[in-house]
Amino acid sequence: EDKVVQSPLSLVVHEGDTVTLNCSYEVTNFRSLLWYKQEKKAPTFLFMLTSSGIEKKSGRLSSILDKKELFSILNITATQTGDSAVYLCAVESLGGSQGNLIFGKGTKLSVKP
Amino acid sequence: DGGITQSPKYLFRKEGQNVTLSCEQNLNHDAMYWYRQDPGQGLRLIYYSQIVNDFQKGDIAEGYSVSREKKESFPLTVTSAQKNPTAFYLCASSHRGLNEQFFGPGTRLTVL
């Protein structure tokens, strides 16, 4: 059975800290891995990763994929209170009857001032 | 502005009633999806549609029904057969064959 596991499930840090969120997966016919940020309602897209070892970067956020070890990390440096959200990892698997994306349960990040 | 809209924002239902959640998009996306989100459970796929007049069951389709008569619209009906319908429902869309899904603001359904 395809699955995506995120860790930790929740995390509390102080402003300025650096955090690393983890996402491991077991899927057949892997195509890509996506990160989303969900603050209150609609998840918003952060990154899509398809190749191992190539870092994607946007401001203080960065992410990398390891297709050999089947995981990805999302790094946030110099955290701010506005980074508080649930971060969702999703993996796209080709074929099957479950649609396109398999989501993890998310990591809830709380950044304290 | 292009985007996805869901209505209503909040919905209350009595046990035994069917309710329909609306999802509309003007992004010209072929594919549309319905997810359910419960606390600590992440997003679970209910139904998806890759093209008009066609849709497929996801992981948790029991107690739900959908239709896709128009490209822009993908309404979800929560039937009385759904045992535990209280949840946050998210609709998404994407270009067919592409994996980046855009999400609507969600509908929070509470069964009284």
Side-chain angles (χ1 to χ4, degrees):
Chain A
E1 184 184 336
D2 293 344
K3 62 179 181 180
V4 176
V5 178
Q6 292 186 245
S7 64
L9 291 180
S10 66
L11 187 58
V12 180
V13 300
H14 287 93
E15 273 192 313
D17 289 349
T18 293
V19 298
T20 298
L21 310 183
N22 303 292
C23 176
S24 64
Y25 62 91
E26 291 179 28
V27 299
T28 53
N29 300 315
F30 172 89
R31 180 174 175 182
S32 65
L33 185 144
L34 293 86
W35 285 97
Y36 286 86
K37 177 182 181 182
Q38 185 178 25
E39 291 180 78
K40 291 289 185 186
K41 295 175 181 176
T44 53
F45 174 78
L46 294 174
F47 298 111
M48 183 181 75
L49 304 156
T50 56
S51 301
S52 277
I54 299 175
E55 185 183 54
K56 292 283 183 88
K57 197 169 173 64
S58 176
R60 296 176 293 102
L61 277 66
S62 64
S63 183
I64 197 162
L65 174 67
D66 186 328
K67 289 168 73 173
K68 183 179 177 185
E69 299 297 329
L70 308 183
F71 77 91
S72 173
I73 59 172
L74 175 68
N75 278 320
I76 309 175
T77 59
T79 52
Q80 302 171 357
T81 54
D83 295 326
S84 296
V86 174
Y87 290 84
L88 298 168
C89 173
V91 173
E92 184 188 14
S93 172
L94 292 173
S97 61
Q98 296 186 4
N100 295 96
L101 295 181
I102 302 161
F103 282 84
K105 294 184 178 183
T107 292
K108 183 177 180 180
L109 174 66
S110 299
V111 181
K112 303 293 186 187
Chain B
D1 280 43
I4 303 176
T5 57
Q6 290 185 242
S7 62
K9 199 174 186 179
Y10 299 97
L11 185 58
F12 297 90
R13 184 195 99 174
K14 291 183 181 178
E15 276 195 33
Q17 288 180 334
N18 292 356
V19 289
T20 298
L21 282 58
S22 168
C23 178
E24 305 275 335
Q25 54 96 3
N26 60 4
L27 299 167
N28 200 32
H29 286 167
D30 292 301
M32 297 186 75
Y33 312 81
W34 273 105
Y35 293 92
R36 170 180 172 142
Q37 188 174 32
D38 296 281
Q41 290 292 322
L43 273 65
R44 291 184 290 168
L45 183 67
I46 305 173
Y47 268 98
Y48 66 102
S49 168
Q50 300 282 7
I51 198 167
V52 174
N53 291 322
D54 187 51
F55 47 83
Q56 305 293 330
K57 291 182 179 180
D59 300 326
I60 55 166
E62 186 176 350
Y64 300 98
S65 66
V66 293
S67 63
R68 187 85 188 277
E69 297 175 3
K70 297 188 299 181
K71 187 176 183 178
E72 302 79 16
S73 178
F74 191 40
L76 173 75
T77 296
V78 184
T79 75
S80 56
Q82 170 49 235
K83 296 286 187 273
N84 185 21
T86 294
F88 186 54
Y89 290 87
L90 283 162
C91 178
S93 70
S94 70
H95 285 296
R96 191 177 179 188
L98 297 181
N99 43 27
E100 183 184 345
Q101 294 181 13
F102 295 82
F103 286 84
T107 292
R108 188 166 295 282
L109 172 64
T110 302
V111 174
L112 304 172

